[in-house]
Amino acid sequence: MVVSLAQIRQTAGEVFTEGCPTRVVLDHIMSKWGVLVLLALTDGTHRWGELRREVEGISEKMLASTLRTLEADGLVDRTSYPEVPPRVEYALTDLGRELMERMLPLVQWVAANAGRVIPVS
Amino acid sequence: MVVSLAQIRQTAGEVFTEGCPTRVVLDHIMSKWGVLVLLALTDGTHRWGELRREVEGISEKMLASTLRTLEADGLVDRTSYPEVPPRVEYALTDLGRELMERMLPLVQWVAANAGRVIPVS
DNA sequence: CAGTATCCGCGCGGATACTG
DNA sequence: CAGTATCCGCGCGGATACTG
């Protein structure tokens, strides 16, 4: 038996209304840097400098702002240790891990099919 | 047995390298309007005007440009009928449907948890 | 109806310098 | 080390008018 996409979509709720919370959160996590930062944190805790290096091309400003947004959304945890020099670690929250369980299959599929989607010129 | 997110992430490939095809496609489908247009097409074929109305807040320019990008990516099919007045229909391709099978669980989860993620102020 | 053409503002996001 | 502050360009994306 085949379940149609339309049936599944029913349960997605009203994403098309402007300003609805779902749209706001989608904008955060589906943003260019949002995805990459979340992805980087998927294999565990990372320090600021590690994220800066791992997420290639991100600027300090964007890393800071992305992390603050994801933290406010409750998806990322920030832990700062009172040491000199300072050490700050970022990790997914439980909510963040739930999210990534759904996001990873999507990213995997894209990674596997990117060559098919955009023909190699 | 619990499979760690890190293990799953392995198979996602190198998403962190700048300019890699995966990043490009992710940027298309994870963009604000990309997601919403793909979502609108998930319950079947739609005409231009229907999409304009269903995806609330999208401008003509952005709808046109989003549709052209997704069409070039091979995710959306454009069929124009030689009638007066003209009729043009948009639908997901097989590739697009494969993608949405992975995207819908993510969107559903966000829709279900948006209230939790951003506390109602 | 299904777009294109043109104009234009603003804010995203980069670069650089600086700090607790 | 982990950021913040400041400046600034450009292109995303909206608004409006027009067309096959």
Side-chain angles (χ1 to χ4, degrees), chain A residues 5 8-9 11-12 15-16 18 22-23 30 36 39-40 42-43 54 56 73 95 97-99 102-103 106 108-109 111 116-118, chain B residues 5 8-9 11-12 16 18 22-23 30 35-36 39-40 42-43 54 56 73 95 97-99 102-103 106 108-109 111 116-118:
Chain A
L5 285 180
I8 302 179
R9 215 206 71 174
T11 61
V15 193
F16 298 107
E18 287 194 84
T22 306
R23 260 209 195 183
M30 307 288 264
L36 295 176
L39 223 42
T42 302
D43 61 2
E54 186 159 8
E56 204 174 306
D73 287 347
L95 205 60
R97 263 185 298 275
E98 280 185 47
L99 171 69
R102 274 84 179 175
M103 174 110 71
L106 175 61
Q108 286 179 313
W109 183 89
R116 251 208 303 162
V117 171
I118 294 196
Chain B
L5 285 180
I8 302 179
R9 216 205 72 174
T11 61
F16 297 107
E18 287 195 84
T22 305
R23 261 211 194 181
M30 307 288 264
V35 185
L36 295 176
L39 224 42
T42 302
D43 61 2
E54 186 160 7
E56 204 173 307
D73 287 348
L95 205 60
R97 263 186 297 275
E98 279 185 49
L99 170 70
R102 274 87 180 174
M103 174 110 71
L106 175 60
Q108 286 179 313
W109 182 89
R116 248 202 313 157
V117 171
I118 295 198

Short mmCIF file of all heavy atoms in Angstrom, two decimals, chain A residues 5 8-9 11-12 15-16 18 22-23 30 36 39-40 42-43 54 56 73 95 97-99 102-103 106 108-109 111 116-118, chain B residues 5 8-9 11-12 16 18 22-23 30 35-36 39-40 42-43 54 56 73 95 97-99 102-103 106 108-109 111 116-118:
data_model
loop_
_atom_site.label_atom_id
_atom_site.label_comp_id
_atom_site.label_asym_id
_atom_site.label_seq_id
_atom_site.Cartn_x
_atom_site.Cartn_y
_atom_site.Cartn_z
N LEU A 5 1.97 11.33 -0.71
CA LEU A 5 2.63 12.47 -0.07
C LEU A 5 1.60 13.45 0.47
O LEU A 5 1.77 14.04 1.52
CB LEU A 5 3.53 13.20 -1.08
CG LEU A 5 4.86 12.52 -1.43
CD1 LEU A 5 5.62 13.35 -2.43
CD2 LEU A 5 5.68 12.30 -0.18
N ILE A 8 0.44 12.53 3.87
CA ILE A 8 1.45 12.87 4.87
C ILE A 8 1.46 14.37 5.12
O ILE A 8 1.58 14.83 6.24
CB ILE A 8 2.86 12.43 4.40
CG1 ILE A 8 2.85 10.92 4.15
CG2 ILE A 8 3.90 12.79 5.45
CD1 ILE A 8 4.17 10.39 3.66
N ARG A 9 1.32 15.13 4.06
CA ARG A 9 1.40 16.58 4.18
C ARG A 9 0.33 17.17 5.08
O ARG A 9 0.52 18.20 5.72
CB ARG A 9 1.32 17.24 2.80
CG ARG A 9 2.19 18.48 2.71
CD ARG A 9 1.70 19.47 1.67
NE ARG A 9 0.49 20.15 2.05
CZ ARG A 9 -0.06 21.12 1.36
NH1 ARG A 9 0.47 21.47 0.23
NH2 ARG A 9 -1.17 21.71 1.79
N THR A 11 -0.64 16.46 7.87
CA THR A 11 -0.23 16.61 9.26
C THR A 11 0.80 17.71 9.46
O THR A 11 1.20 17.98 10.58
CB THR A 11 0.35 15.29 9.79
OG1 THR A 11 1.49 14.97 9.01
CG2 THR A 11 -0.65 14.19 9.69
N ALA A 12 1.24 18.32 8.38
CA ALA A 12 2.28 19.34 8.51
C ALA A 12 1.71 20.66 9.01
O ALA A 12 2.45 21.56 9.35
CB ALA A 12 3.01 19.55 7.18
N VAL A 15 1.68 25.79 7.25
CA VAL A 15 3.01 26.37 7.12
C VAL A 15 2.96 27.58 6.21
O VAL A 15 3.89 28.35 6.10
CB VAL A 15 3.99 25.34 6.53
CG1 VAL A 15 5.41 25.81 6.69
CG2 VAL A 15 3.78 24.00 7.16
N PHE A 16 1.82 27.75 5.55
CA PHE A 16 1.77 28.76 4.50
C PHE A 16 1.30 30.11 5.00
O PHE A 16 1.34 31.09 4.29
CB PHE A 16 0.88 28.27 3.36
CG PHE A 16 1.42 27.02 2.74
CD1 PHE A 16 0.84 25.80 2.96
CD2 PHE A 16 2.57 27.09 1.96
CE1 PHE A 16 1.37 24.65 2.39
CE2 PHE A 16 3.11 25.96 1.40
CZ PHE A 16 2.50 24.73 1.61
N GLU A 18 1.68 33.48 6.85
CA GLU A 18 2.83 34.33 7.21
C GLU A 18 2.92 34.49 8.72
O GLU A 18 1.92 34.65 9.40
CB GLU A 18 2.68 35.69 6.56
CG GLU A 18 2.93 35.68 5.07
CD GLU A 18 3.11 37.09 4.54
OE1 GLU A 18 4.24 37.61 4.62
OE2 GLU A 18 2.13 37.65 4.07
N THR A 22 5.97 27.97 12.87
CA THR A 22 6.64 26.95 12.07
C THR A 22 7.53 27.58 11.01
O THR A 22 8.66 27.15 10.78
CB THR A 22 5.61 26.04 11.38
OG1 THR A 22 4.73 25.52 12.37
CG2 THR A 22 6.28 24.89 10.68
N ARG A 23 7.03 28.63 10.40
CA ARG A 23 7.81 29.32 9.37
C ARG A 23 9.06 29.93 9.96
O ARG A 23 10.14 29.87 9.38
CB ARG A 23 6.98 30.44 8.74
CG ARG A 23 6.38 30.08 7.42
CD ARG A 23 6.24 31.35 6.59
NE ARG A 23 5.35 31.13 5.46
CZ ARG A 23 5.11 32.06 4.55
NH1 ARG A 23 5.65 33.25 4.66
NH2 ARG A 23 4.34 31.78 3.54
N MET A 30 16.61 25.98 8.40
CA MET A 30 16.80 25.71 6.98
C MET A 30 17.67 26.78 6.34
O MET A 30 17.82 26.82 5.13
CB MET A 30 15.46 25.64 6.25
CG MET A 30 14.46 24.68 6.89
SD MET A 30 14.87 22.94 6.64
CE MET A 30 13.85 22.59 5.20
N LEU A 36 24.40 23.92 8.45
CA LEU A 36 25.79 23.48 8.55
C LEU A 36 26.28 23.44 9.99
O LEU A 36 27.01 22.54 10.38
CB LEU A 36 26.68 24.38 7.69
CG LEU A 36 26.40 24.28 6.18
CD1 LEU A 36 27.24 25.27 5.40
CD2 LEU A 36 26.64 22.86 5.67
N LEU A 39 24.66 20.51 11.68
CA LEU A 39 25.30 19.31 11.16
C LEU A 39 26.64 19.09 11.84
O LEU A 39 27.00 17.96 12.19
CB LEU A 39 25.49 19.49 9.65
CG LEU A 39 25.17 18.33 8.72
CD1 LEU A 39 23.91 17.61 9.12
CD2 LEU A 39 25.06 18.86 7.30
N ALA A 40 27.39 20.16 12.03
CA ALA A 40 28.70 20.05 12.67
C ALA A 40 28.56 19.56 14.11
O ALA A 40 29.40 18.81 14.61
CB ALA A 40 29.41 21.40 12.63
N THR A 42 26.35 17.59 15.19
CA THR A 42 25.70 16.28 15.25
C THR A 42 26.65 15.19 15.74
O THR A 42 26.22 14.21 16.33
CB THR A 42 25.12 15.90 13.88
OG1 THR A 42 24.19 16.91 13.49
CG2 THR A 42 24.40 14.57 13.94
N ASP A 43 27.95 15.38 15.52
CA ASP A 43 28.86 14.34 16.01
C ASP A 43 29.45 14.68 17.38
O ASP A 43 30.45 14.12 17.78
CB ASP A 43 29.97 14.04 14.98
CG ASP A 43 30.82 15.26 14.69
OD1 ASP A 43 30.59 16.30 15.31
OD2 ASP A 43 31.73 15.14 13.85
N GLU A 54 35.49 24.11 11.11
CA GLU A 54 34.79 23.00 10.45
C GLU A 54 33.74 23.49 9.45
O GLU A 54 33.60 22.92 8.37
CB GLU A 54 34.11 22.09 11.49
CG GLU A 54 33.51 20.85 10.85
CD GLU A 54 33.29 19.72 11.85
OE1 GLU A 54 33.46 19.94 13.07
OE2 GLU A 54 32.96 18.62 11.41
N GLU A 56 33.22 25.52 6.89
CA GLU A 56 34.09 26.28 6.00
C GLU A 56 33.38 27.49 5.39
O GLU A 56 32.31 27.37 4.82
CB GLU A 56 34.58 25.36 4.88
CG GLU A 56 35.88 25.79 4.24
CD GLU A 56 36.35 24.73 3.25
OE1 GLU A 56 36.47 23.56 3.65
OE2 GLU A 56 36.59 25.08 2.10
N ASP A 73 16.39 29.19 20.27
CA ASP A 73 15.37 28.23 19.83
C ASP A 73 15.38 26.97 20.69
O ASP A 73 14.53 26.10 20.53
CB ASP A 73 15.61 27.83 18.36
CG ASP A 73 15.23 28.96 17.40
OD1 ASP A 73 14.58 29.91 17.84
OD2 ASP A 73 15.59 28.86 16.21
N LEU A 95 16.23 18.46 22.23
CA LEU A 95 15.38 18.93 21.14
C LEU A 95 16.16 18.98 19.84
O LEU A 95 15.68 18.57 18.77
CB LEU A 95 14.86 20.33 21.50
CG LEU A 95 13.55 20.78 20.87
CD1 LEU A 95 12.41 19.85 21.24
CD2 LEU A 95 13.23 22.21 21.28
N ARG A 97 18.72 17.19 19.05
CA ARG A 97 18.98 15.84 18.56
C ARG A 97 17.74 15.25 17.87
O ARG A 97 17.84 14.61 16.82
CB ARG A 97 19.44 14.93 19.71
CG ARG A 97 20.96 14.80 19.77
CD ARG A 97 21.39 13.81 20.84
NE ARG A 97 20.96 14.24 22.16
CZ ARG A 97 21.67 15.08 22.92
NH1 ARG A 97 22.82 15.54 22.49
NH2 ARG A 97 21.23 15.44 24.09
N GLU A 98 16.58 15.50 18.46
CA GLU A 98 15.32 15.07 17.81
C GLU A 98 15.22 15.65 16.41
O GLU A 98 14.85 14.96 15.45
CB GLU A 98 14.11 15.55 18.62
CG GLU A 98 13.76 14.72 19.84
CD GLU A 98 12.46 15.23 20.47
OE1 GLU A 98 11.48 15.45 19.74
OE2 GLU A 98 12.45 15.42 21.72
N LEU A 99 15.54 16.92 16.32
CA LEU A 99 15.49 17.59 15.01
C LEU A 99 16.43 16.94 14.02
O LEU A 99 16.05 16.63 12.89
CB LEU A 99 15.85 19.07 15.17
CG LEU A 99 16.05 19.84 13.87
CD1 LEU A 99 14.73 20.02 13.13
CD2 LEU A 99 16.70 21.18 14.12
N ARG A 102 15.58 13.85 12.14
CA ARG A 102 14.75 14.05 10.93
C ARG A 102 15.53 14.71 9.81
O ARG A 102 15.23 14.52 8.64
CB ARG A 102 13.53 14.94 11.26
CG ARG A 102 12.34 14.20 11.79
CD ARG A 102 12.48 14.01 13.26
NE ARG A 102 11.34 13.31 13.87
CZ ARG A 102 11.33 12.97 15.15
NH1 ARG A 102 12.35 13.24 15.93
NH2 ARG A 102 10.29 12.33 15.64
N MET A 103 16.48 15.54 10.18
CA MET A 103 17.21 16.30 9.16
C MET A 103 18.25 15.45 8.43
O MET A 103 18.47 15.63 7.24
CB MET A 103 17.90 17.49 9.82
CG MET A 103 18.79 18.26 8.87
SD MET A 103 18.18 19.87 8.46
CE MET A 103 18.41 20.77 9.97
N LEU A 106 17.42 13.61 5.18
CA LEU A 106 17.28 14.58 4.09
C LEU A 106 18.65 14.98 3.53
O LEU A 106 18.87 14.94 2.32
CB LEU A 106 16.53 15.81 4.61
CG LEU A 106 16.39 16.98 3.64
CD1 LEU A 106 15.63 16.54 2.40
CD2 LEU A 106 15.69 18.14 4.31
N GLN A 108 21.48 13.41 3.85
CA GLN A 108 22.10 12.24 3.22
C GLN A 108 21.61 12.06 1.80
O GLN A 108 22.37 11.78 0.88
CB GLN A 108 21.77 10.98 4.02
CG GLN A 108 22.50 10.86 5.31
CD GLN A 108 22.09 9.59 6.04
OE1 GLN A 108 20.91 9.30 6.16
NE2 GLN A 108 23.07 8.85 6.51
N TRP A 109 20.29 12.17 1.65
CA TRP A 109 19.72 11.99 0.32
C TRP A 109 20.27 13.04 -0.64
O TRP A 109 20.65 12.72 -1.76
CB TRP A 109 18.19 12.08 0.38
CG TRP A 109 17.55 11.82 -0.95
CD1 TRP A 109 17.15 10.62 -1.46
CD2 TRP A 109 17.25 12.81 -1.96
NE1 TRP A 109 16.62 10.80 -2.71
CE2 TRP A 109 16.68 12.12 -3.05
CE3 TRP A 109 17.41 14.18 -2.05
CZ2 TRP A 109 16.25 12.77 -4.21
CZ3 TRP A 109 17.01 14.84 -3.21
CH2 TRP A 109 16.44 14.13 -4.27
N ALA A 111 23.10 14.64 -0.39
CA ALA A 111 24.51 14.35 -0.63
C ALA A 111 24.65 13.23 -1.66
O ALA A 111 25.52 13.27 -2.55
CB ALA A 111 25.20 13.96 0.66
N ARG A 116 23.12 14.02 -9.35
CA ARG A 116 21.99 13.76 -10.24
C ARG A 116 21.16 15.02 -10.42
O ARG A 116 20.61 15.29 -11.48
CB ARG A 116 21.11 12.67 -9.60
CG ARG A 116 21.19 11.34 -10.33
CD ARG A 116 19.94 10.51 -10.19
NE ARG A 116 19.53 10.21 -8.84
CZ ARG A 116 18.30 9.81 -8.54
NH1 ARG A 116 17.41 9.65 -9.50
NH2 ARG A 116 17.97 9.55 -7.30
N VAL A 117 21.04 15.77 -9.32
CA VAL A 117 20.17 16.93 -9.34
C VAL A 117 20.75 18.05 -10.21
O VAL A 117 20.08 18.61 -11.06
CB VAL A 117 19.92 17.44 -7.90
CG1 VAL A 117 19.19 18.76 -7.92
CG2 VAL A 117 19.13 16.40 -7.14
N ILE A 118 22.01 18.35 -9.95
CA ILE A 118 22.68 19.33 -10.80
C ILE A 118 23.68 18.61 -11.67
O ILE A 118 24.71 18.16 -11.18
CB ILE A 118 23.41 20.41 -9.97
CG1 ILE A 118 22.39 21.23 -9.20
CG2 ILE A 118 24.25 21.29 -10.85
CD1 ILE A 118 22.97 22.52 -8.68
N LEU B 5 23.93 9.58 16.32
CA LEU B 5 23.79 10.54 15.23
C LEU B 5 25.09 10.65 14.45
O LEU B 5 25.11 10.79 13.24
CB LEU B 5 23.41 11.91 15.79
CG LEU B 5 21.97 12.09 16.25
CD1 LEU B 5 21.76 13.49 16.77
CD2 LEU B 5 21.02 11.80 15.11
N ILE B 8 25.37 8.08 11.81
CA ILE B 8 24.54 8.40 10.65
C ILE B 8 25.17 9.53 9.84
O ILE B 8 25.15 9.51 8.62
CB ILE B 8 23.13 8.84 11.11
CG1 ILE B 8 22.49 7.73 11.93
CG2 ILE B 8 22.27 9.19 9.91
CD1 ILE B 8 21.11 8.07 12.44
N ARG B 9 25.77 10.47 10.56
CA ARG B 9 26.32 11.64 9.86
C ARG B 9 27.45 11.27 8.91
O ARG B 9 27.68 11.93 7.91
CB ARG B 9 26.82 12.68 10.87
CG ARG B 9 26.59 14.09 10.40
CD ARG B 9 27.56 15.06 11.05
NE ARG B 9 28.90 14.91 10.54
CZ ARG B 9 29.90 15.72 10.86
NH1 ARG B 9 29.68 16.67 11.72
NH2 ARG B 9 31.10 15.57 10.36
N THR B 11 27.70 9.18 6.71
CA THR B 11 27.28 8.94 5.34
C THR B 11 26.82 10.21 4.63
O THR B 11 26.47 10.18 3.47
CB THR B 11 26.13 7.93 5.32
OG1 THR B 11 25.04 8.49 6.05
CG2 THR B 11 26.54 6.64 5.96
N ALA B 12 26.82 11.30 5.36
CA ALA B 12 26.34 12.53 4.73
C ALA B 12 27.39 13.16 3.82
O ALA B 12 27.10 14.08 3.09
CB ALA B 12 25.90 13.54 5.79
N PHE B 16 30.80 20.29 4.21
CA PHE B 16 31.40 21.48 4.78
C PHE B 16 32.37 22.17 3.84
O PHE B 16 32.84 23.25 4.11
CB PHE B 16 32.09 21.13 6.10
CG PHE B 16 31.10 20.63 7.11
CD1 PHE B 16 31.05 19.29 7.46
CD2 PHE B 16 30.19 21.50 7.67
CE1 PHE B 16 30.12 18.84 8.38
CE2 PHE B 16 29.26 21.05 8.58
CZ PHE B 16 29.23 19.72 8.94
N GLU B 18 33.35 24.31 0.79
CA GLU B 18 32.68 25.36 0.02
C GLU B 18 32.53 24.96 -1.44
O GLU B 18 33.41 24.39 -2.04
CB GLU B 18 33.50 26.65 0.09
CG GLU B 18 33.41 27.33 1.43
CD GLU B 18 33.91 28.77 1.34
OE1 GLU B 18 33.11 29.64 0.96
OE2 GLU B 18 35.08 28.96 1.65
N THR B 22 26.52 19.46 -2.96
CA THR B 22 25.54 19.24 -1.90
C THR B 22 25.12 20.56 -1.27
O THR B 22 23.94 20.81 -1.02
CB THR B 22 26.11 18.31 -0.82
OG1 THR B 22 26.56 17.11 -1.45
CG2 THR B 22 25.06 17.96 0.20
N ARG B 23 26.11 21.42 -1.05
CA ARG B 23 25.81 22.72 -0.46
C ARG B 23 24.92 23.54 -1.38
O ARG B 23 23.99 24.21 -0.93
CB ARG B 23 27.11 23.50 -0.25
CG ARG B 23 27.62 23.45 1.14
CD ARG B 23 28.37 24.75 1.43
NE ARG B 23 29.17 24.63 2.63
CZ ARG B 23 29.90 25.62 3.13
NH1 ARG B 23 29.95 26.78 2.49
NH2 ARG B 23 30.57 25.47 4.22
N MET B 30 16.59 24.35 0.88
CA MET B 30 16.44 24.77 2.26
C MET B 30 16.20 26.27 2.33
O MET B 30 16.20 26.83 3.43
CB MET B 30 17.67 24.40 3.08
CG MET B 30 18.06 22.95 2.98
SD MET B 30 16.94 21.82 3.84
CE MET B 30 17.82 21.62 5.39
N VAL B 35 11.46 25.72 0.22
CA VAL B 35 10.72 24.76 1.05
C VAL B 35 9.22 24.92 0.84
O VAL B 35 8.50 23.94 0.63
CB VAL B 35 11.01 24.98 2.54
CG1 VAL B 35 10.33 23.92 3.38
CG2 VAL B 35 12.49 24.96 2.80
N LEU B 36 8.74 26.15 0.89
CA LEU B 36 7.31 26.38 0.84
C LEU B 36 6.71 26.00 -0.52
O LEU B 36 5.61 25.45 -0.59
CB LEU B 36 7.00 27.84 1.17
CG LEU B 36 7.35 28.22 2.61
CD1 LEU B 36 7.11 29.71 2.85
CD2 LEU B 36 6.54 27.40 3.61
N LEU B 39 6.68 22.27 -0.77
CA LEU B 39 5.62 21.79 0.10
C LEU B 39 4.25 21.95 -0.56
O LEU B 39 3.40 21.05 -0.49
CB LEU B 39 5.66 22.61 1.40
CG LEU B 39 5.51 21.90 2.73
CD1 LEU B 39 6.31 20.61 2.77
CD2 LEU B 39 5.99 22.83 3.84
N ALA B 40 4.06 23.07 -1.22
CA ALA B 40 2.78 23.31 -1.89
C ALA B 40 2.55 22.30 -3.00
O ALA B 40 1.42 21.87 -3.25
CB ALA B 40 2.75 24.73 -2.45
N THR B 42 3.51 19.29 -3.01
CA THR B 42 3.49 17.92 -2.50
C THR B 42 2.11 17.28 -2.60
O THR B 42 1.99 16.07 -2.71
CB THR B 42 3.98 17.90 -1.03
OG1 THR B 42 5.29 18.45 -0.99
CG2 THR B 42 4.03 16.49 -0.50
N ASP B 43 1.08 18.11 -2.59
CA ASP B 43 -0.25 17.49 -2.72
C ASP B 43 -0.75 17.50 -4.16
O ASP B 43 -1.93 17.34 -4.41
CB ASP B 43 -1.26 18.15 -1.78
CG ASP B 43 -1.45 19.62 -2.07
OD1 ASP B 43 -0.82 20.11 -3.02
OD2 ASP B 43 -2.23 20.27 -1.37
N GLU B 54 -1.30 30.22 -2.71
CA GLU B 54 -1.10 29.27 -1.60
C GLU B 54 0.15 29.60 -0.77
O GLU B 54 0.12 29.49 0.45
CB GLU B 54 -1.01 27.83 -2.14
CG GLU B 54 -0.95 26.83 -1.03
CD GLU B 54 -1.34 25.43 -1.47
OE1 GLU B 54 -1.54 25.21 -2.68
OE2 GLU B 54 -1.45 24.56 -0.62
N GLU B 56 1.76 32.00 0.84
CA GLU B 56 1.42 33.35 1.28
C GLU B 56 2.64 34.25 1.43
O GLU B 56 3.60 33.87 2.09
CB GLU B 56 0.68 33.27 2.62
CG GLU B 56 -0.21 34.46 2.92
CD GLU B 56 -1.02 34.20 4.18
OE1 GLU B 56 -1.69 33.15 4.25
OE2 GLU B 56 -0.98 35.03 5.07
N ASP B 73 17.08 22.20 -11.22
CA ASP B 73 17.59 21.14 -10.35
C ASP B 73 16.94 19.79 -10.64
O ASP B 73 17.33 18.77 -10.08
CB ASP B 73 17.34 21.50 -8.87
CG ASP B 73 18.27 22.60 -8.40
OD1 ASP B 73 19.23 22.92 -9.12
OD2 ASP B 73 18.03 23.15 -7.31
N LEU B 95 12.21 12.70 -8.82
CA LEU B 95 13.29 13.12 -7.93
C LEU B 95 12.74 14.04 -6.83
O LEU B 95 13.10 13.90 -5.65
CB LEU B 95 14.34 13.88 -8.75
CG LEU B 95 15.77 13.91 -8.22
CD1 LEU B 95 16.34 12.52 -8.08
CD2 LEU B 95 16.66 14.75 -9.13
N ARG B 97 9.75 14.05 -5.65
CA ARG B 97 8.96 13.27 -4.69
C ARG B 97 9.87 12.51 -3.73
O ARG B 97 9.60 12.45 -2.53
CB ARG B 97 8.03 12.30 -5.44
CG ARG B 97 6.60 12.84 -5.60
CD ARG B 97 5.69 11.81 -6.22
NE ARG B 97 6.13 11.46 -7.56
CZ ARG B 97 5.81 12.15 -8.64
NH1 ARG B 97 5.02 13.19 -8.55
NH2 ARG B 97 6.26 11.80 -9.83
N GLU B 98 10.96 11.96 -4.25
CA GLU B 98 11.94 11.30 -3.37
C GLU B 98 12.43 12.27 -2.30
O GLU B 98 12.54 11.92 -1.12
CB GLU B 98 13.16 10.84 -4.19
CG GLU B 98 12.98 9.53 -4.93
CD GLU B 98 14.30 9.11 -5.59
OE1 GLU B 98 15.34 9.13 -4.91
OE2 GLU B 98 14.29 8.78 -6.80
N LEU B 99 12.72 13.48 -2.75
CA LEU B 99 13.19 14.50 -1.81
C LEU B 99 12.16 14.79 -0.73
O LEU B 99 12.47 14.80 0.47
CB LEU B 99 13.52 15.79 -2.56
CG LEU B 99 13.80 17.02 -1.68
CD1 LEU B 99 15.12 16.85 -0.95
CD2 LEU B 99 13.79 18.29 -2.51
N ARG B 102 11.73 12.66 2.30
CA ARG B 102 12.67 12.93 3.40
C ARG B 102 12.38 14.25 4.08
O ARG B 102 12.68 14.42 5.26
CB ARG B 102 14.11 12.97 2.87
CG ARG B 102 14.78 11.62 2.79
CD ARG B 102 14.47 10.96 1.49
NE ARG B 102 15.09 9.65 1.33
CZ ARG B 102 14.83 8.88 0.29
NH1 ARG B 102 13.96 9.25 -0.64
NH2 ARG B 102 15.41 7.70 0.20
N MET B 103 11.87 15.20 3.32
CA MET B 103 11.66 16.53 3.88
C MET B 103 10.43 16.59 4.78
O MET B 103 10.42 17.31 5.78
CB MET B 103 11.51 17.54 2.75
CG MET B 103 11.15 18.93 3.23
SD MET B 103 12.46 20.11 3.04
CE MET B 103 12.52 20.36 1.28
N LEU B 106 10.65 16.03 8.57
CA LEU B 106 11.31 17.17 9.20
C LEU B 106 10.33 18.32 9.41
O LEU B 106 10.22 18.87 10.51
CB LEU B 106 12.48 17.61 8.31
CG LEU B 106 13.22 18.87 8.74
CD1 LEU B 106 13.82 18.70 10.12
CD2 LEU B 106 14.31 19.23 7.74
N GLN B 108 7.09 18.20 9.46
CA GLN B 108 6.07 17.78 10.44
C GLN B 108 6.56 17.96 11.86
O GLN B 108 5.84 18.45 12.72
CB GLN B 108 5.72 16.30 10.22
CG GLN B 108 4.88 16.03 9.01
CD GLN B 108 4.63 14.53 8.88
OE1 GLN B 108 5.54 13.73 9.01
NE2 GLN B 108 3.39 14.17 8.65
N TRP B 109 7.79 17.53 12.07
CA TRP B 109 8.35 17.65 13.42
C TRP B 109 8.42 19.11 13.84
O TRP B 109 8.05 19.47 14.96
CB TRP B 109 9.75 17.01 13.48
CG TRP B 109 10.35 17.05 14.86
CD1 TRP B 109 10.21 16.11 15.84
CD2 TRP B 109 11.14 18.10 15.42
NE1 TRP B 109 10.87 16.51 16.97
CE2 TRP B 109 11.45 17.73 16.74
CE3 TRP B 109 11.62 19.31 14.93
CZ2 TRP B 109 12.23 18.52 17.58
CZ3 TRP B 109 12.38 20.11 15.77
CH2 TRP B 109 12.68 19.70 17.08
N ALA B 111 6.61 21.58 12.71
CA ALA B 111 5.24 22.06 12.91
C ALA B 111 4.71 21.64 14.27
O ALA B 111 4.05 22.40 14.98
CB ALA B 111 4.32 21.54 11.80
N ARG B 116 7.15 24.60 21.16
CA ARG B 116 8.13 24.23 22.18
C ARG B 116 9.45 24.94 21.93
O ARG B 116 10.17 25.33 22.85
CB ARG B 116 8.37 22.72 22.11
CG ARG B 116 7.84 22.00 23.33
CD ARG B 116 8.46 20.66 23.59
NE ARG B 116 8.59 19.73 22.50
CZ ARG B 116 9.49 18.74 22.50
NH1 ARG B 116 10.31 18.60 23.52
NH2 ARG B 116 9.57 17.90 21.49
N VAL B 117 9.80 25.06 20.66
CA VAL B 117 11.10 25.61 20.30
C VAL B 117 11.16 27.10 20.59
O VAL B 117 12.08 27.59 21.21
CB VAL B 117 11.40 25.35 18.80
CG1 VAL B 117 12.64 26.09 18.39
CG2 VAL B 117 11.56 23.85 18.57
N ILE B 118 10.15 27.83 20.12
CA ILE B 118 10.07 29.24 20.45
C ILE B 118 8.92 29.44 21.42
O ILE B 118 7.77 29.37 21.05
CB ILE B 118 9.83 30.10 19.19
CG1 ILE B 118 11.02 30.01 18.26
CG2 ILE B 118 9.58 31.54 19.58
CD1 ILE B 118 11.07 31.10 17.24
#
